[in-house]
Amino acid sequence: MNQKDLQYMRRALELAQKGAGYVNPNPMVGAVIVKAGKVIGEGYHMRYGELHAERNALGNCSESPEGATLYVTLEPCCHYGKTPPCTEAIIENGIKRVVIGSHDPNPLVAGKGVRILRENEIEVTEHVLQAECDACNQIFFHYIRTQTPYVIMKYAMTMDGKIATVAGLSQWITGEESRQQVQRDRHRCMGIMVGVGTVLADDPQLTCRIPGGKNPIRIICDTRLRTPETAMVVRTAREVPTIIATCDKDVRKQEGYVNQGCEVLVTPEAEGHVDVAYLMEALGKRKIDSILLEGGDTLNWSCLENGIVQKVQTYIAPKIFGGQGAKTPVAGAGVHQPSQCYRLMNPQVSYLGADILIESEVQPCLPES
């Protein structure tokens, strides 16, 4: 692996990130075409249903790509979907060498793209910056393998672990830079999920407030259908898709929400609440590949307990609230033994103004027998 390969793949990764929030449930992909040591074309997957990165890069070439090297963050597709196979375009344009970051776990691709290229006498170099390319598409990889959303549990807390004061007030724990990061994640994820308690307490909009950003699909976990029909999420359901997940089968109670544009999704009941595992399967069938979970302590525990959380985002503000009764990020029954914990792995730490953001992957630990 040479330094030029690394350099051009890093550029392809930069391009791939430009598709964040717009390509779901497809992967983010970037491509760079180099000929005689010069970049002659660049492209990325811009929006779901539109041309893939390779075809965009080929279309942007300043000269013939024949004999050039193509750098692409994900294995080129080899099947017909909303667009034709990228392997066809690569072969037709006379690309001599293809450098790939990640393999595509999609069963329709999964190594077939590489094989087709080699069968057509195109040199293929694999695994260049693979860790970085894999990280770029954590959401896609999870969704394509499980057909359920990648769930990011997000909360903001003080240094003493409180998400609100003893009076229940929580605005604002973190600073402006942290709140802007949350808006970027709302844009990046296809869905945002809260419990009815959050709706009753805050009457939130749950939208993305970045200019030009994409609003996530709003999902309200409301076991007994207590969401007020005057709530912001209900009144604006025709502008921003809203799903109310409930165990209440009373069609007459559901009518008020449906008439305002909400979808009411009835789930089985699990320990007195919406069955979140069933809900994830139902949302996956709707092609919702990712959810930003901005729930309260009860919903957070339910999601952890049911094993549907893949990542935890912990925003920590340099403040102390105190108060024995002040809420913490996760409530529920809790574990009895330290060995039964939900272990957080591979923490990544960043600084947002005065705040700290820790992003960790979840590895559930089973109880000891």
Side-chain angles (χ1 to χ4, degrees), residues 316-362:
I316 305 174
K319 302 173 182 177
I320 292 177
F321 282 174
Q324 187 173 352
K327 288 189 173 183
T328 58
V330 182
V335 300
H336 289 270
Q337 300 293 330
S339 61
Q340 297 172 320
C341 69
Y342 294 91
R343 202 174 298 276
L344 302 181
M345 309 294 291
N346 304 320
Q348 301 292 318
V349 181
S350 53
Y351 296 88
L352 299 164
D355 303 325
I356 299 169
L357 169 60
I358 305 176
E359 298 181 275
S360 311
E361 297 169 20
V362 179

Side-chain angles (χ1 to χ4, degrees), residues 99-366:
V99 181
I100 296 170
S102 297
H103 276 272
D104 191 337
N106 187 338
L108 296 173
V109 186
K112 297 173 190 172
V114 169
R115 188 181 73 242
I116 289 170
L117 294 176
R118 285 179 171 149
E119 286 172 352
N120 283 271
E121 299 182 350
I122 295 173
E123 180 187 348
V124 179
T125 301
E126 304 172 74
H127 313 301
V128 175
L129 292 185
Q130 182 177 347
E132 292 88 337
C133 291
D134 286 354
C136 178
N137 280 309
Q138 274 185 323
I139 288 173
F140 171 72
F141 289 166
H142 172 84
Y143 178 71
I144 205 70
R145 288 177 178 132
T146 68
Q147 294 298 297
T148 59
Y150 185 93
V151 178
I152 303 170
M153 186 173 84
K154 164 258 165 185
Y155 54 82
M157 69 179 192
T158 59
M159 283 284 193
D160 58 335
K162 306 298 184 181
I163 62 171
T165 67
V166 288
L169 303 176
S170 59
Q171 293 185 342
W172 294 104
I173 290 176
T174 54
E176 181 61 29
E177 290 185 36
S178 293
R179 297 199 292 274
Q180 282 300 309
Q181 179 59 44
V182 172
Q183 296 303 316
R184 288 190 286 273
D185 285 329
R186 287 185 178 186
H187 164 76
R188 181 167 63 102
C189 293
M190 281 192 77
I192 182 170
M193 188 163 79
V194 300
V196 65
T198 297
V199 175
L200 293 171
D202 302 332
D203 193 20
Q205 296 185 56
L206 303 178
T207 53
C208 174
R209 291 185 282 279
I210 296 174
K214 176 182 63 63
N215 286 323
I217 297 168
R218 301 178 298 200
I219 301 140
I220 315 301
C221 291
D222 183 359
T223 308
R224 305 296 171 217
L225 217 49
R226 296 186 294 132
T227 298
E229 292 184 19
T230 56
M232 187 70 72
V233 291
V234 177
R235 289 190 287 116
T236 59
R238 296 199 187 279
E239 290 80 52
V240 183
T242 303
I243 298 171
I244 300 179
T246 184
C247 301
D248 195 321
K249 300 178 182 178
D250 189 335
V251 176
R252 289 173 298 177
K253 285 180 69 176
Q254 297 173 11
E255 280 181 357
Y257 305 105
V258 173
N259 290 340
Q260 294 193 68
C262 296
E263 177 187 353
V264 177
L265 196 165
V266 178
T267 80
E269 190 168 318
E271 298 185 3
H273 299 287
V274 164
D275 185 334
V276 291
Y278 176 94
L279 177 59
M280 291 305 107
E281 293 183 7
L283 296 176
K285 290 175 182 175
R286 288 161 173 76
K287 293 192 174 182
I288 297 174
D289 70 349
S290 50
I291 291 173
L292 186 62
L293 172 61
E294 296 195 20
D297 53 2
T298 302
L299 181 58
N300 285 348
W301 169 256
S302 179
C303 291
L304 276 172
E305 188 178 31
N306 280 276
I308 69 165
V309 180
Q310 281 69 54
K311 179 177 280 190
V312 174
Q313 290 182 333
T314 305
Y315 290 85
I316 305 174
K319 302 173 182 177
I320 292 177
F321 282 174
Q324 187 173 352
K327 288 189 173 183
T328 58
V330 182
V335 300
H336 289 270
Q337 300 293 330
S339 61
Q340 297 172 320
C341 69
Y342 294 91
R343 202 174 298 276
L344 302 181
M345 309 294 291
N346 304 320
Q348 301 292 318
V349 181
S350 53
Y351 296 88
L352 299 164
D355 303 325
I356 299 169
L357 169 60
I358 305 176
E359 298 181 275
S360 311
E361 297 169 20
V362 179
Q363 178 185 311
C365 293
L366 298 176

